Amino acid sequence: MDWNDFRLILAISRAGSLKGAARDLGNDHSTIFRWLNALEAKLEAQLFDRNGGVYTSTEAGDRMLLAAERMELEALAVDREITGRDARLSGNLRITCSESLAYRILNDLLAEFRSRHEGITVELLVDNRQLDLLRREADIAIRATRPVEGDLFGRQIAETAWALYASPRYLADHDRPVTAPFEGHRFIGWDSSAVAAAAKWLTDTVSSDQIVYRSSSLINQMMAVKAGIGMALLPCYLGDQETDIESVSLPEAALTRELWLITHRDLRNTARVRAFFDIVGQGLVDRRQLLEGSARRGG
């Protein structure tokens, strides 16, 4: 057996299907199917139960999965330790942040970072999920949550504020000021799978029939506000920079979140990680007023 056998088991177990494992491993479905059959034939053991395309590990599969997870953790630890000693201002740097932060703030800072360190290639993963820094899904994360894992190292940047926004077109047809319980107002909200605090606030504050449009994308919600469909909760750093919408409430205190720049402790002394913290981290601090919602306030 070799490491690729264990990677195969990990991928199938985590995805729960051959299609998902194929996507994660960068192969096609038929190749993964052939590899699994060959491995089970070699071991003379069934590693997964198949039920309608869903793959669940057997007792033998569980035993191999435990070994695979230990091997992966050790490999990741060695990788981080070696990378953490890298003093070169070159190589690849993988960053993850939310869609709204990437759209409105981060690109200008990344342009400055690249101009000062042309040897570093930046890979930006725009994802509202929290990618796993322990498994090196990203080197650095910009998150609206304080790191709780003991192996992570972070720097608090600011506290991000959220407020209600509307377009002049919408406000021309609706009463001002806009205050709770928001009778007669229409809202733009999230899809039913959203778990964001802002989504919960909206569900708890207004009736379901007031939410006339839903989207999983904050950028799309903002564009719906511009179109006059309704009002939406937006991060102030997103809404305050748009000239064709305006805030119609003070920032909602219950939605204030800490913004953190985070990496793994093993990587914090890597030259390119330190450079990112210095340049992009300071750039975010310099934009604290915007992040905290005090750059422009409507009434």
Side-chain angles (χ1 to χ4, degrees):
M1 297 181 67
D2 62 31
W3 171 233
N4 287 326
D5 295 333
F6 291 96
R7 289 181 64 234
L8 176 66
I9 299 304
L10 277 173
I12 296 174
S13 177
R14 286 170 176 164
S17 67
L18 295 189
K19 182 178 180 180
R23 180 185 62 248
D24 294 341
L25 294 175
N27 293 99
D28 56 58
H29 176 280
S30 60
T31 299
I32 299 300
F33 181 72
R34 186 174 67 253
W35 284 354
L36 178 59
N37 286 340
L39 179 58
E40 290 183 328
K42 180 171 64 174
L43 297 176
E44 298 182 350
Q46 184 177 345
L47 300 174
F48 291 93
D49 289 324
R50 285 85 159 166
N51 183 13
V54 177
Y55 279 62
T56 306
S57 58
T58 63
E59 184 177 351
D62 285 340
R63 179 65 186 86
M64 189 170 177
L65 180 61
L66 286 173
E69 289 172 339
R70 288 197 299 268
M71 293 170 67
E72 181 189 47
L73 287 174
E74 184 63 26
L76 288 170
V78 171
D79 179 46
R80 289 193 304 266
E81 183 178 348
I82 292 174
T83 303
R85 299 177 180 179
D86 193 347
R88 299 171 302 162
L89 285 168
S90 61
N92 191 64
L93 192 61
R94 180 177 289 189
I95 315 301
T96 179
C97 74
S98 67
E99 174 193 35
S100 55
L101 197 64
Y103 171 79
R104 219 39 182 118
I105 292 182
L106 201 56
N107 277 326
D108 287 343
L109 299 178
L110 292 179
E112 180 184 353
F113 178 77
R114 280 279 305 135
S115 69
R116 294 170 63 176
H117 299 293
E118 295 182 354
I120 300 176
T121 300
V122 174
E123 181 179 355
L124 181 61
L125 305 175
V126 179
D127 201 320
N128 292 324
R129 296 175 302 126
Q130 290 197 4
L131 299 187
D132 193 341
L133 300 185
L134 304 182
R135 293 180 53 213
R136 292 296 302 278
E137 290 182 347
D139 299 315
I140 297 172
I142 306 173
R143 290 180 182 168
T145 53
R146 179 187 296 265
V148 294
E149 298 95 329
D151 291 329
L152 298 183
F153 167 83
R155 173 187 180 187
Q156 185 178 349
I157 299 298
E159 292 186 337
T160 57
W162 290 65
L164 282 171
Y165 290 82
S167 69
R169 182 192 313 180
Y170 174 87
L171 293 172
D173 298 327
H174 293 81
D175 295 336
R176 300 271 308 256
V178 178
T179 56
F182 305 111
E183 292 179 0
H185 284 286
R186 303 192 306 264
F187 286 86
I188 297 156
W190 282 258
D191 65 287
S192 58
S193 64
V195 295
K200 184 178 186 305
W201 183 93
L202 193 62
T203 300
D204 293 344
T205 304
V206 306
S207 62
S208 59
D209 60 353
Q210 287 179 273
I211 303 177
V212 299
Y213 182 95
R214 296 179 184 271
S215 174
S216 60
S217 163
L218 271 177
I219 303 303
N220 185 261
Q221 289 186 33
M222 180 181 72
M223 299 309 293
V225 172
K226 293 187 177 193
I229 294 175
M231 301 189 298
L233 277 170
L234 298 173
C236 293
Y237 65 76
L238 181 63
D240 282 355
Q241 296 191 81
E242 303 297 321
T243 58
D244 49 357
I245 62 176
E246 61 182 276
S247 57
V248 293
S249 72
L250 294 175
E252 297 293 338
L255 299 180
T256 299
R257 292 292 181 270
E258 296 177 349
L259 186 67
W260 285 77
L261 193 57
I262 307 168
T263 189
H264 195 283
R265 288 189 178 276
D266 291 344
L267 300 181
R268 61 178 175 171
N269 291 321
T270 305
R272 53 185 177 271
V273 171
R274 287 203 315 272
F276 190 92
F277 267 64
D278 290 343
I279 297 171
V280 177
Q282 186 57 51
L284 289 169
V285 169
D286 292 343
R287 289 160 176 78
R288 180 176 290 165
Q289 185 181 32
L290 174 63
L291 291 164
E292 296 186 344
S294 53
R296 175 168 66 90
R297 287 267 60 86

